[in-house]
Amino acid sequence: MTRYRKFTLLASLYFSQGLPYGFFASALPTLLREQGVSLANIGLANLLALPWALKFLWAPVVDRHGSTRHGWRRSWILPLQLVAILNLMVLGSLGPTAAVGLILVCVLMNLVAATQDIATDGLAVELLNSEERGLGNGIQVGGYRVGMIVGGGLLLVIVGRVGWTLSFLAMAGVLAVASLPILFYKEPAIERGDRAQPAASSLLGSLSRPGIWLWLVLLVIYKSGDAIASGMINPFLVDSGLSVQQVGWLSTLGSIASFVGAFVGGWGITRLGRRRGLLFFGLLQAVAVAGYVIAAFTSETGGLTSYGFLTALSIAEHFTGTMATVALFTMMMDVCRPGLGATDYTLQASVVVIAQLGARSLSGFSADQLSHLGNFTLSAGLSLVGAILAGLLLQNASFRDRLLGPTESSW
């Protein structure tokens, strides 16, 4: 299979996951608020994303079961794509006032998308060789971001123009088109490794690997730093006197910067190697977060931060944060065992999600107790620590050999 076809297939699959999540994360809170739902209940709606944090529990089932005739990963992905399309059609028939129905469908949407993500990650681990993983993960993150934009902000624009039902039917049609690459994909037969083991043993096996716990701790530290800042950036912008429209414009520019950063990160990790890429991009992320320390200090000392400076900060934080994410995802693929990519990658991805959710949830308390200045300082410091620890830990040949076996030149 050519590299172009691999990347097209993965882009379509990760776009398909990003579209429903974009609705849940961006469009749904706006629509609920428009219906008069309280801020507290809108905040609690984030619990609907729990399948993304808990998906490691059923990832071994996806690894262990599949169809050799229709494709081990494909036999999971295609039916889940169909359910996702039906979900969007059901949403279109419900209308925005059916609160209970919206919640139930959103739970199903997140469960379906999270399970599909398990199978897609397993396919990506098997499909991409070591040299392709940097750019492949850039395409993964970029496709997912585009899906979130379409299912979030763009959906809100369309709803305002053509109404609720037609908007969701259009989204279902887009998702159907995005399903064509996997529909026509002929998945090769691959030896399944530990397939004969009970499903739980695959997860326990992943957790008992030498060096894995230290690696998981590094994932938490590396991703928590930026998450503490990003959870409070928009409230800080509002407190700094920006209008909702100005904040929305900065968010849009940030999304564009993230899309570009995904591809730059994919190219950069290929050129720099795994360890240097994670260290370098992590340091850049820490510097970008430190820019908000300057902005918060200016604001708290009675100064006025220019809109241009805040725009530059938003672009830099999204751009560097996405590059660091691509580097981390690439290395997470390298940590996976042959034939058990869905289990091993999903375990790591779940740790990342839990770290981000936890950090973002605590960021409000941090900003309340320490002020925006203290919160951003904490975030920048933790980002710096994560980058340095990554560089030091992965420089240790003994640790690399225990976790990965003989390492390749890409490291």
Side-chain angles (χ1 to χ4, degrees), residues 224-226 228-230 232-233 236 285-298 300 363 366-367 370-385:
S224 294
D226 182 60
I228 290 174
S230 61
M232 285 293 109
I233 285 177
F236 166 71
Q285 176 179 261
V287 170
V289 174
Y292 281 102
V293 176
I294 298 173
F297 177 79
T298 302
E300 292 186 15
S363 64
S366 173
L370 304 176
S371 79
H372 285 303
L373 176 59
N375 183 66
F376 290 139
T377 301
L378 173 64
S379 177
L382 193 56
S383 296
L384 180 62
V385 169

Side-chain angles (χ1 to χ4, degrees), residues 119 123 190 202 250 410:
L123 177 64
I190 297 177
S202 296
L250 291 187
S410 59

Side-chain angles (χ1 to χ4, degrees), residues 305-342:
T305 305
S306 71
Y307 186 68
F309 181 64
L310 293 174
T311 301
L313 283 182
S314 179
I315 292 173
E317 190 269 334
H318 282 84
F319 183 78
T320 58
T322 304
M323 287 196 300
T325 297
V326 169
L328 196 67
F329 285 2
T330 302
M331 296 172 71
M332 284 161 53
M333 282 189 176
D334 292 343
V335 174
C336 297
R337 295 168 293 174
L340 291 169

Side-chain angles (χ1 to χ4, degrees), residues 3 7 11 34 36 70 82 85-86 117 125 138 142-143 159 168 191 193 225 239 264 272 295 323 344 366:
R3 180 175 293 190
F7 290 162
E34 187 181 44
H70 300 290
L82 177 59
I85 293 169
L86 294 175
D117 186 56
V125 171
V159 167
F168 280 93
E191 184 61 36
D239 292 343
V264 175
L272 293 171
M323 287 196 300
D344 291 347
S366 173

Side-chain angles (χ1 to χ4, degrees), residues 8-9 11-13 15-16 19 78 81-82 84-85 88 150 168-185:
T8 300
L9 174 63
S12 67
L13 291 176
F15 169 87
S16 299
L19 192 148
L78 268 177
Q81 286 277 92
L82 177 59
I85 293 169
L88 290 172
V150 173
F168 280 93
L169 289 178
M171 290 294 157
V174 170
L175 198 55
V177 172
S179 303
L180 294 178
I182 188 64
L183 178 65
F184 294 108
Y185 171 59

